Coordinates of all heavy atoms in Angstrom, one line a residue:
E197 N -6.3 -19.6 0.7 CA -5.8 -20.9 0.4 C -4.9 -21.3 1.6 O -3.8 -20.8 1.7 CB -5.1 -20.9 -0.9 CG -4.6 -22.2 -1.4 CD -5.7 -23.0 -2.0 OE1 -6.7 -22.5 -2.5 OE2 -5.6 -24.3 -1.9
P198 N -5.2 -22.3 2.4 CA -4.4 -22.7 3.5 C -3.0 -23.1 3.2 O -2.1 -23.0 3.9 CB -5.2 -23.8 4.2 CG -6.6 -23.6 3.7 CD -6.5 -23.0 2.4
A199 N -2.8 -23.7 2.0 CA -1.5 -24.2 1.6 C -0.5 -23.1 1.4 O 0.7 -23.3 1.5 CB -1.6 -25.0 0.3
M200 N -1.0 -21.9 1.2 CA -0.1 -20.7 1.0 C 0.4 -20.2 2.3 O 1.4 -19.5 2.3 CB -0.9 -19.6 0.3 CG -1.3 -19.9 -1.1 SD -2.1 -18.6 -2.0 CE -0.8 -17.4 -2.1
L201 N -0.1 -20.6 3.4 CA 0.3 -20.2 4.8 C 1.4 -21.2 5.2 O 1.1 -22.3 5.7 CB -0.8 -20.1 5.7 CG -1.9 -19.1 5.3 CD1 -3.1 -19.2 6.3 CD2 -1.4 -17.7 5.3
R202 N 2.6 -20.8 5.1 CA 3.7 -21.8 5.4 C 4.1 -21.9 6.9 O 4.6 -22.9 7.3 CB 5.0 -21.3 4.6 CG 4.7 -21.4 3.1 CD 6.0 -21.1 2.4 NE 5.6 -21.1 1.0 CZ 6.3 -20.5 0.0 NH1 7.3 -19.8 0.3 NH2 5.9 -20.6 -1.2
D203 N 3.8 -20.9 7.7 CA 4.1 -20.9 9.1 C 3.2 -19.9 9.8 O 2.2 -19.4 9.3 CB 5.6 -20.7 9.4 CG 6.1 -19.4 8.7 OD1 5.3 -18.4 8.6 OD2 7.2 -19.4 8.2
D204 N 3.6 -19.6 11.0 CA 2.8 -18.7 11.8 C 3.0 -17.2 11.6 O 2.5 -16.3 12.2 CB 3.0 -19.0 13.3 CG 2.4 -20.3 13.7 OD1 1.5 -20.8 13.0 OD2 2.8 -20.9 14.7
R205 N 4.0 -16.9 10.7 CA 4.3 -15.5 10.4 C 3.1 -14.8 9.7 O 2.3 -15.5 9.0 CB 5.5 -15.4 9.5 CG 6.8 -15.7 10.3 CD 8.0 -15.5 9.4 NE 8.0 -16.6 8.4 CZ 8.8 -16.7 7.4 NH1 9.6 -15.7 7.2 NH2 8.7 -17.7 6.6
P206 N 2.9 -13.5 9.9 CA 1.8 -12.8 9.2 C 1.9 -13.0 7.7 O 3.0 -13.0 7.1 CB 2.0 -11.4 9.6 CG 2.8 -11.4 10.9 CD 3.7 -12.6 10.7
S207 N 0.7 -13.1 7.1 CA 0.6 -13.1 5.6 C -0.4 -12.0 5.2 O -1.6 -12.3 5.3 CB 0.2 -14.5 5.2 OG 0.1 -14.5 3.8
Y208 N 0.1 -10.9 4.8 CA -0.8 -9.7 4.6 C -1.3 -9.6 3.2 O -0.6 -9.8 2.2 CB 0.0 -8.4 5.0 CG 0.3 -8.3 6.4 CD1 1.7 -8.3 6.8 CD2 -0.6 -8.3 7.4 CE1 2.0 -8.2 8.2 CE2 -0.3 -8.1 8.7 CZ 1.0 -8.1 9.1 OH 1.3 -8.0 10.4
C209 N -2.5 -9.1 3.1 CA -3.2 -8.6 1.9 C -3.5 -7.2 2.2 O -4.1 -6.9 3.2 CB -4.4 -9.4 1.6 SG -5.3 -8.8 0.1
L210 N -3.1 -6.3 1.3 CA -3.3 -4.9 1.6 C -4.1 -4.2 0.5 O -3.8 -4.4 -0.7 CB -1.9 -4.2 1.6 CG -1.8 -2.7 1.9 CD1 -2.4 -2.3 3.2 CD2 -0.4 -2.2 1.7
A211 N -5.1 -3.4 0.8 CA -5.9 -2.7 -0.1 C -5.5 -1.2 0.1 O -5.5 -0.7 1.2 CB -7.4 -2.9 0.0
I212 N -5.2 -0.5 -1.0 CA -4.8 0.9 -0.9 C -5.8 1.8 -1.7 O -6.1 1.5 -2.9 CB -3.4 1.1 -1.5 CG1 -2.4 0.3 -0.7 CG2 -3.0 2.6 -1.5 CD1 -1.0 0.3 -1.3
K213 N -6.2 2.9 -1.1 CA -7.0 3.9 -1.7 C -6.3 5.2 -1.6 O -5.9 5.6 -0.5 CB -8.4 4.0 -1.0 CG -9.3 5.2 -1.5 CD -9.7 5.0 -3.0 CE -10.6 6.2 -3.4 NZ -10.8 6.2 -4.8
E214 N -6.0 5.9 -2.7 CA -5.3 7.1 -2.8 C -6.2 8.3 -3.2 O -7.0 8.1 -4.1 CB -4.1 7.0 -3.7 CG -3.3 8.3 -3.8 CD -2.1 8.2 -4.8 OE1 -2.1 7.3 -5.6 OE2 -1.2 9.0 -4.7
R215 N -6.0 9.4 -2.5 CA -6.7 10.6 -2.9 C -5.6 11.7 -2.9 O -5.0 12.0 -1.9 CB -7.8 11.0 -1.9 CG -8.5 12.2 -2.3 CD -9.8 12.5 -1.6 NE -9.5 12.6 -0.2 CZ -10.4 12.8 0.7 NH1 -11.7 12.8 0.4 NH2 -10.1 13.0 2.0
S216 N -5.4 12.3 -4.1 CA -4.4 13.3 -4.2 C -4.9 14.7 -3.9 O -6.0 15.0 -4.1 CB -3.9 13.3 -5.7 OG -3.0 14.3 -5.9
S217 N -4.0 15.5 -3.3 CA -4.3 16.8 -2.9 C -4.3 17.8 -4.1 O -4.8 18.9 -4.0 CB -3.4 17.4 -1.8 OG -2.1 17.4 -2.3
S218 N -3.7 17.3 -5.2 CA -3.6 18.2 -6.4 C -3.7 17.3 -7.7 O -2.8 16.6 -8.0 CB -2.3 18.9 -6.4 OG -2.1 19.6 -7.6
L219 N -4.8 17.5 -8.4 CA -4.9 16.8 -9.7 C -4.2 17.5 -10.8 O -3.9 16.9 -11.8 CB -6.4 16.6 -10.0 CG -7.2 15.8 -9.1 CD1 -8.7 15.8 -9.5 CD2 -6.7 14.4 -9.0
R220 N -3.9 18.7 -10.6 CA -3.1 19.5 -11.6 C -1.7 19.2 -11.6 O -1.0 19.3 -12.6 CB -3.4 21.0 -11.4 CG -4.8 21.4 -11.7 CD -5.0 22.9 -11.5 NE -6.4 23.1 -11.4 CZ -6.9 24.1 -10.8 NH1 -6.1 24.9 -10.1 NH2 -8.2 24.3 -10.7
K221 N -1.1 18.8 -10.5 CA 0.3 18.5 -10.4 C 0.5 17.2 -9.7 O 1.0 17.0 -8.6 CB 1.0 19.6 -9.5 CG 0.9 21.0 -10.1 CD 1.6 22.0 -9.2 CE 1.4 23.4 -9.7 NZ 1.9 24.4 -8.7
P222 N 0.1 16.1 -10.4 CA 0.2 14.8 -9.8 C 1.6 14.3 -9.5 O 1.8 13.4 -8.7 CB -0.5 13.9 -10.8 CG -0.4 14.6 -12.1 CD -0.4 16.1 -11.8
I223 N 2.6 14.8 -10.2 CA 4.0 14.3 -10.0 C 4.5 14.7 -8.6 O 5.2 14.0 -7.9 CB 4.9 14.8 -11.1 CG1 4.4 14.3 -12.5 CG2 6.4 14.4 -10.8 CD1 4.3 12.8 -12.6
S224 N 4.2 15.9 -8.1 CA 4.7 16.4 -6.9 C 3.6 16.5 -5.8 O 3.9 17.0 -4.7 CB 5.3 17.8 -7.1 OG 4.4 18.7 -7.5
A225 N 2.4 16.0 -6.1 CA 1.3 16.2 -5.1 C 1.5 15.4 -3.9 O 1.9 14.2 -4.0 CB 0.0 15.9 -5.8
E226 N 1.1 15.9 -2.7 CA 1.0 15.1 -1.5 C -0.3 14.3 -1.7 O -1.2 14.7 -2.5 CB 0.9 16.0 -0.3 CG 2.2 16.8 -0.1 CD 2.1 17.7 1.1 OE1 1.0 17.8 1.8 OE2 3.1 18.3 1.5
S227 N -0.4 13.2 -1.0 CA -1.6 12.4 -1.1 C -2.1 11.9 0.2 O -1.3 11.9 1.2 CB -1.3 11.1 -2.0 OG -1.3 11.5 -3.3
Q228 N -3.3 11.6 0.3 CA -3.9 10.9 1.4 C -4.2 9.5 1.1 O -4.6 9.2 -0.1 CB -5.3 11.5 1.8 CG -5.2 13.0 2.2 CD -6.6 13.6 2.5 OE1 -7.5 13.3 1.7 NE2 -6.7 14.3 3.5
F229 N -3.9 8.6 2.0 CA -4.1 7.1 1.8 C -5.0 6.5 2.8 O -4.9 6.9 4.0 CB -2.7 6.4 1.8 CG -1.8 6.8 0.7 CD1 -0.9 7.8 0.8 CD2 -1.9 6.1 -0.6 CE1 0.0 8.1 -0.3 CE2 -1.1 6.4 -1.6 CZ -0.2 7.4 -1.5
G230 N -5.8 5.6 2.3 CA -6.6 4.8 3.2 C -6.2 3.4 3.0 O -6.0 3.0 1.8
L231 N -5.9 2.6 4.0 CA -5.4 1.3 3.9 C -6.3 0.3 4.7 O -6.8 0.6 5.8 CB -4.0 1.1 4.4 CG -2.9 2.1 3.9 CD1 -1.6 1.8 4.6 CD2 -2.8 1.9 2.4
A232 N -6.5 -0.9 4.1 CA -7.2 -2.0 4.8 C -6.2 -3.1 4.7 O -5.7 -3.5 3.6 CB -8.5 -2.4 4.1
L233 N -5.8 -3.6 5.9 CA -4.8 -4.7 6.0 C -5.4 -5.9 6.6 O -5.9 -5.9 7.7 CB -3.6 -4.2 6.9 CG -2.4 -5.1 7.1 CD1 -1.7 -5.2 5.7 CD2 -1.5 -4.5 8.1
L234 N -5.3 -7.0 5.8 CA -5.8 -8.3 6.3 C -4.6 -9.2 6.6 O -3.8 -9.4 5.7 CB -6.7 -8.9 5.3 CG -7.1 -10.4 5.4 CD1 -8.0 -10.6 6.7 CD2 -7.7 -11.0 4.2
D235 N -4.6 -9.8 7.8 CA -3.6 -10.8 8.1 C -4.3 -12.1 7.9 O -5.1 -12.6 8.7 CB -3.1 -10.6 9.5 CG -2.0 -11.7 9.9 OD1 -1.8 -12.6 9.1 OD2 -1.4 -11.5 10.9
A236 N -3.9 -12.8 6.8 CA -4.6 -14.1 6.5 C -4.3 -15.2 7.5 O -5.0 -16.1 7.6 CB -4.2 -14.5 5.1
S237 N -3.1 -15.1 8.2 CA -2.8 -16.1 9.1 C -3.6 -16.1 10.4 O -3.8 -17.1 11.1 CB -1.3 -16.0 9.5 OG -1.0 -14.8 10.2
T238 N -4.2 -14.9 10.7 CA -5.0 -14.8 11.9 C -6.5 -14.4 11.6 O -7.3 -14.5 12.5 CB -4.4 -13.7 12.9 OG1 -4.4 -12.5 12.3 CG2 -3.0 -14.1 13.3
G239 N -6.7 -13.8 10.4 CA -8.0 -13.3 10.1 C -8.3 -11.9 10.6 O -9.4 -11.4 10.5
S240 N -7.3 -11.3 11.2 CA -7.5 -9.9 11.7 C -7.4 -8.9 10.6 O -6.7 -9.0 9.6 CB -6.4 -9.6 12.8 OG -5.1 -9.5 12.2
V241 N -8.2 -7.8 10.7 CA -8.3 -6.7 9.8 C -8.0 -5.4 10.5 O -8.5 -5.2 11.6 CB -9.7 -6.6 9.1 CG1 -9.8 -5.4 8.2 CG2 -10.0 -7.9 8.4
R242 N -7.1 -4.6 9.9 CA -6.8 -3.3 10.4 C -7.0 -2.2 9.4 O -6.7 -2.4 8.2 CB -5.4 -3.2 10.9 CG -5.1 -4.1 12.1 CD -3.8 -4.0 12.6 NE -3.6 -4.9 13.8 CZ -2.5 -5.4 14.1 NH1 -1.4 -5.2 13.5 NH2 -2.5 -6.2 15.2
L243 N -7.6 -1.1 9.8 CA -7.8 0.0 8.9 C -7.0 1.2 9.4 O -6.9 1.4 10.6 CB -9.3 0.4 8.9 CG -10.3 -0.7 8.5 CD1 -11.7 -0.2 8.7 CD2 -10.0 -1.2 7.1
C244 N -6.5 2.0 8.4 CA -5.8 3.3 8.8 C -5.9 4.2 7.7 O -6.2 3.9 6.5 CB -4.4 3.0 9.2 SG -3.3 2.6 7.9
D245 N -5.6 5.5 8.0 CA -5.5 6.5 6.9 C -4.5 7.5 7.4 O -4.2 7.6 8.6 CB -6.8 7.2 6.6 CG -7.4 8.0 7.8 OD1 -7.3 7.5 8.9 OD2 -7.9 9.1 7.6
F246 N -3.8 8.1 6.4 CA -2.7 9.1 6.7 C -2.5 10.0 5.5 O -2.8 9.6 4.4 CB -1.5 8.4 7.2 CG -0.9 7.4 6.1 CD1 0.0 7.8 5.2 CD2 -1.3 6.1 6.1 CE1 0.5 6.9 4.3 CE2 -0.8 5.1 5.2 CZ 0.1 5.6 4.3
D247 N -1.9 11.1 5.8 CA -1.4 12.1 4.8 C 0.0 11.7 4.6 O 0.8 11.5 5.5 CB -1.6 13.5 5.3 CG -3.0 13.9 5.5 OD1 -3.9 13.4 4.8 OD2 -3.2 14.8 6.4
D248 N 0.5 11.7 3.3 CA 1.9 11.4 3.0 C 2.5 12.6 2.2 O 1.8 13.3 1.5 CB 2.0 10.1 2.3 CG 3.3 9.4 2.5 OD1 4.2 10.0 3.0 OD2 3.3 8.2 2.1
D249 N 3.8 12.6 2.2 CA 4.5 13.7 1.4 C 4.5 13.3 0.0 O 4.1 12.2 -0.4 CB 5.9 13.9 2.0 CG 6.7 12.6 2.0 OD1 6.5 11.8 1.2 OD2 7.6 12.5 2.9
S250 N 5.1 14.2 -0.8 CA 5.2 13.9 -2.3 C 6.0 12.7 -2.6 O 5.8 12.1 -3.7 CB 5.7 15.2 -3.0 OG 7.0 15.5 -2.6
G251 N 7.0 12.3 -1.8 CA 7.8 11.2 -2.0 C 7.2 9.9 -1.6 O 7.8 8.8 -1.7
R252 N 6.0 10.0 -0.9 CA 5.3 8.8 -0.4 C 6.2 8.0 0.6 O 6.1 6.8 0.6 CB 4.9 7.8 -1.5 CG 4.1 8.4 -2.7 CD 3.1 9.4 -2.4 NE 2.2 9.7 -3.5 CZ 2.1 10.8 -4.2 NH1 3.0 11.7 -4.0 NH2 1.2 11.0 -5.1
S253 N 6.9 8.7 1.4 CA 7.9 8.0 2.3 C 7.2 7.2 3.4 O 7.7 6.1 3.7 CB 8.8 9.1 3.0 OG 8.1 10.0 3.7
L254 N 6.0 7.6 3.9 CA 5.3 6.8 4.9 C 4.8 5.5 4.3 O 4.9 4.4 4.8 CB 4.2 7.6 5.5 CG 4.6 8.8 6.4 CD1 3.3 9.6 6.8 CD2 5.3 8.3 7.6
L255 N 4.2 5.6 3.1 CA 3.7 4.5 2.4 C 4.8 3.5 2.1 O 4.7 2.3 2.3 CB 3.0 4.9 1.1 CG 2.5 3.7 0.2 CD1 1.4 3.0 1.0 CD2 1.9 4.2 -1.1
E256 N 6.0 4.0 1.6 CA 7.1 3.1 1.3 C 7.6 2.4 2.5 O 7.9 1.2 2.5 CB 8.2 3.9 0.6 CG 9.4 3.1 0.2 CD 10.4 3.8 -0.7 OE1 10.4 5.0 -0.7 OE2 11.2 3.1 -1.3
T257 N 7.7 3.1 3.6 CA 8.2 2.5 4.9 C 7.2 1.4 5.3 O 7.7 0.3 5.7 CB 8.3 3.5 6.0 OG1 9.3 4.5 5.6 CG2 8.7 2.9 7.3
L258 N 5.9 1.6 5.2 CA 4.9 0.6 5.6 C 5.0 -0.6 4.7 O 5.0 -1.7 5.2 CB 3.5 1.3 5.5 CG 2.4 0.4 5.9 CD1 2.2 0.5 7.4 CD2 1.1 0.8 5.2
L259 N 5.2 -0.4 3.4 CA 5.3 -1.5 2.5 C 6.5 -2.4 2.7 O 6.5 -3.6 2.7 CB 5.3 -1.0 1.0 CG 4.0 -0.4 0.5 CD1 4.2 0.2 -0.8 CD2 2.9 -1.5 0.5
I260 N 7.6 -1.7 3.0 CA 8.9 -2.5 3.3 C 8.8 -3.3 4.6 O 9.2 -4.4 4.6 CB 10.1 -1.5 3.3 CG1 10.3 -0.9 1.9 CG2 11.3 -2.1 3.9 CD1 11.3 0.2 1.8
Q261 N 8.2 -2.7 5.6 CA 8.0 -3.4 6.8 C 7.1 -4.5 6.8 O 7.3 -5.6 7.3 CB 7.6 -2.4 7.9 CG 8.7 -1.4 8.3 CD 8.2 -0.4 9.4 OE1 7.0 -0.3 9.7 NE2 9.2 0.3 9.9
L262 N 5.9 -4.4 6.1 CA 4.9 -5.4 6.1 C 5.1 -6.5 5.1 O 4.7 -7.6 5.3 CB 3.5 -4.8 5.9 CG 3.0 -3.9 7.0 CD1 1.7 -3.2 6.5 CD2 2.8 -4.6 8.3
Q263 N 5.7 -6.1 3.9 CA 5.9 -7.1 2.8 C 4.7 -7.9 2.5 O 4.6 -9.1 2.6 CB 7.1 -8.0 3.1 CG 8.5 -7.3 3.0 CD 8.7 -6.8 1.6 OE1 8.8 -7.5 0.7 NE2 8.9 -5.5 1.5
P264 N 3.6 -7.1 2.1 CA 2.3 -7.9 1.8 C 2.5 -8.8 0.7 O 3.2 -8.6 -0.3 CB 1.3 -6.7 1.5 CG 2.2 -5.6 1.1 CD 3.5 -5.7 1.8
K265 N 1.7 -9.9 0.7 CA 1.7 -10.9 -0.3 C 0.9 -10.5 -1.5 O 1.2 -10.9 -2.6 CB 1.2 -12.3 0.2 CG 1.9 -12.8 1.4 CD 3.3 -13.3 1.0 CE 3.9 -13.9 2.3 NZ 5.3 -13.9 2.3
E266 N -0.1 -9.6 -1.2 CA -1.0 -9.2 -2.3 C -1.3 -7.7 -2.0 O -1.6 -7.4 -0.8 CB -2.2 -10.0 -2.4 CG -3.1 -9.8 -3.5 CD -4.2 -10.8 -3.7 OE1 -4.2 -11.9 -3.0 OE2 -5.1 -10.5 -4.4
V267 N -1.4 -6.9 -3.0 CA -1.8 -5.5 -2.9 C -2.9 -5.2 -3.9 O -2.7 -5.5 -5.1 CB -0.6 -4.5 -3.1 CG1 -1.0 -3.1 -3.1 CG2 0.5 -4.8 -2.1
L268 N -4.0 -4.6 -3.4 CA -5.1 -4.2 -4.3 C -5.1 -2.7 -4.4 O -5.1 -2.0 -3.3 CB -6.4 -4.8 -3.7 CG -6.4 -6.3 -3.4 CD1 -7.7 -6.6 -2.6 CD2 -6.4 -7.0 -4.7
V269 N -5.3 -2.2 -5.6 CA -5.4 -0.8 -5.8 C -6.6 -0.5 -6.8 O -6.9 -1.4 -7.5 CB -4.1 -0.1 -6.4 CG1 -3.0 -0.2 -5.4 CG2 -3.7 -0.7 -7.7
E270 N -7.1 0.7 -6.7 CA -8.2 1.0 -7.6 C -7.6 1.4 -8.9 O -6.8 2.3 -9.1 CB -9.0 2.2 -7.0 CG -10.2 2.6 -7.8 CD -11.0 3.7 -7.1 OE1 -10.5 4.3 -6.2 OE2 -12.0 4.0 -7.6
K271 N -8.1 0.6 -9.9 CA -7.5 0.8 -11.3 C -7.8 2.3 -11.8 O -8.9 2.8 -11.7 CB -8.2 -0.2 -12.3 CG -7.6 -0.1 -13.6 CD -8.3 -1.2 -14.5 CE -7.7 -1.2 -15.9 NZ -8.3 -2.2 -16.8
G272 N -6.7 2.9 -12.3 CA -6.8 4.2 -12.8 C -6.8 5.3 -11.8 O -6.9 6.5 -12.1
H273 N -6.7 5.0 -10.5 CA -6.7 6.0 -9.4 C -5.4 6.0 -8.5 O -5.5 6.4 -7.4 CB -7.9 5.9 -8.6 CG -9.2 6.2 -9.3 ND1 -9.9 5.4 -10.1 CD2 -9.8 7.4 -9.4 CE1 -10.9 6.0 -10.6 NE2 -10.9 7.2 -10.2
I274 N -4.3 5.5 -9.1 CA -3.1 5.5 -8.4 C -2.1 6.4 -9.2 O -1.9 6.1 -10.4 CB -2.5 4.1 -8.2 CG1 -3.4 3.2 -7.3 CG2 -1.1 4.1 -7.7 CD1 -3.5 3.7 -5.9
L275 N -1.6 7.4 -8.6 CA -0.7 8.3 -9.3 C 0.7 7.7 -9.6 O 1.1 6.8 -8.9 CB -0.6 9.6 -8.5 CG -1.9 10.4 -8.3 CD1 -1.6 11.6 -7.4 CD2 -2.4 10.9 -9.7
P276 N 1.3 8.2 -10.7 CA 2.7 7.7 -11.0 C 3.7 7.6 -9.9 O 4.4 6.6 -9.7 CB 3.1 8.6 -12.1 CG 1.9 9.1 -12.8 CD 0.9 9.2 -11.6
P277 N 3.8 8.6 -9.0 CA 4.7 8.5 -7.9 C 4.4 7.3 -6.9 O 5.3 6.7 -6.4 CB 4.6 9.8 -7.1 CG 4.0 10.8 -8.1 CD 3.1 10.0 -9.0
T278 N 3.1 7.1 -6.8 CA 2.7 5.9 -5.9 C 3.0 4.6 -6.6 O 3.5 3.7 -6.0 CB 1.2 6.1 -5.6 OG1 1.0 7.3 -5.0 CG2 0.8 5.0 -4.6
K279 N 2.8 4.5 -7.9 CA 3.1 3.3 -8.6 C 4.6 3.0 -8.5 O 5.0 1.9 -8.3 CB 2.8 3.5 -10.1 CG 1.3 3.4 -10.4 CD 1.0 3.5 -11.9 CE -0.4 3.6 -12.2 NZ -0.7 3.8 -13.6
A280 N 5.4 4.1 -8.6 CA 6.9 3.9 -8.5 C 7.3 3.4 -7.1 O 8.1 2.5 -7.0 CB 7.6 5.3 -8.7
V281 N 6.6 3.9 -6.0 CA 6.9 3.4 -4.7 C 6.5 1.9 -4.6 O 7.2 1.1 -4.0 CB 6.1 4.2 -3.6 CG1 6.1 3.5 -2.3 CG2 6.8 5.6 -3.5
L282 N 5.4 1.5 -5.2 CA 4.9 0.1 -5.1 C 5.9 -0.8 -5.8 O 6.3 -1.8 -5.3 CB 3.5 0.0 -5.8 CG 2.4 0.6 -5.0 CD1 1.1 0.6 -5.9 CD2 2.1 -0.2 -3.7
K283 N 6.4 -0.4 -6.9 CA 7.4 -1.2 -7.7 C 8.7 -1.3 -6.9 O 9.4 -2.3 -6.9 CB 7.7 -0.6 -9.1 CG 6.5 -0.8 -10.0 CD 6.8 -0.2 -11.4 CE 5.6 -0.4 -12.3 NZ 5.9 0.1 -13.6
R284 N 9.1 -0.2 -6.3 CA 10.4 -0.1 -5.6 C 10.4 -0.9 -4.2 O 11.3 -1.6 -3.9 CB 10.8 1.4 -5.3 CG 12.1 1.6 -4.8 CD 12.5 3.1 -4.8 NE 11.6 3.9 -4.1 CZ 10.8 4.9 -4.6 NH1 10.9 5.2 -5.9 NH2 10.0 5.6 -3.9
A285 N 9.3 -0.8 -3.5 CA 9.2 -1.4 -2.2 C 8.8 -2.8 -2.1 O 9.1 -3.5 -1.1 CB 8.2 -0.5 -1.4
L286 N 8.2 -3.3 -3.2 CA 7.7 -4.7 -3.1 C 8.5 -5.6 -4.1 O 8.8 -5.2 -5.2 CB 6.2 -4.8 -3.5 CG 5.2 -4.0 -2.6 CD1 3.8 -3.9 -3.2 CD2 5.3 -4.5 -1.2
P287 N 8.8 -6.8 -3.6 CA 9.5 -7.7 -4.5 C 8.6 -8.2 -5.6 O 7.4 -8.3 -5.5 CB 9.9 -8.9 -3.5 CG 8.9 -8.8 -2.4 CD 8.5 -7.4 -2.3
L288 N 9.2 -8.5 -6.7 CA 8.5 -9.0 -7.9 C 8.1 -10.5 -7.6 O 8.8 -11.2 -6.9 CB 9.3 -9.0 -9.1 CG 9.7 -7.6 -9.6 CD1 10.7 -7.7 -10.8 CD2 8.5 -6.8 -9.9
G289 N 7.0 -10.9 -8.1 CA 6.6 -12.2 -7.9 C 5.2 -12.5 -7.8 O 4.2 -12.4 -7.9

């Protein structure tokens, strides 16, 4: 929707795929993340993947820096620690 783009600043949509290293201990498990990042202001797409610690510190840093307008996750496949990072790092709205 062009009206949602207020200026030339990036307007990100982020898709996150999580794969946990331990299904038996999801609270403390390290995870692997795959990300697809779309900048709606330019139409550019970037893909990345990384391993993260149990606190999801890399994911949290990325979310705080990018401040995506929309985040897509696979229903039922995001662990509680990751949900907590999403709630903490992204503004409500």
Side-chain angles (χ1 to χ4, degrees):
E197 187 75 30
M200 294 179 70
L201 301 175
R202 297 184 182 155
D203 52 38
D204 291 337
R205 289 183 289 171
S207 181
Y208 293 117
C209 178
L210 179 65
I212 301 173
K213 172 66 176 167
E214 178 178 20
R215 183 168 59 181
S216 176
S217 63
S218 172
L219 296 176
R220 294 183 192 146
K221 299 178 184 175
I223 300 303
S224 63
E226 294 179 358
S227 283
Q228 294 176 320
F229 291 95
L231 304 179
L233 182 67
L234 166 69
D235 181 350
S237 66
T238 64
S240 66
V241 176
R242 295 186 178 149
L243 305 173
C244 72
D245 66 319
F246 57 91
D247 296 329
D248 209 347
D249 59 29
S250 61
R252 310 320 194 250
S253 59
L254 293 174
L255 179 63
E256 184 170 13
T257 299
L258 184 86
L259 292 170
I260 290 169
Q261 289 178 349
L262 295 174
Q263 288 298 299
K265 304 288 185 207
E266 188 171 347
V267 176
L268 306 170
V269 296
E270 186 178 6
K271 186 176 181 179
H273 290 88
I274 296 293
L275 295 175
T278 305
K279 287 181 186 178
V281 166
L282 290 169
K283 288 181 182 180
R284 188 170 58 243
L286 299 174
L288 297 176

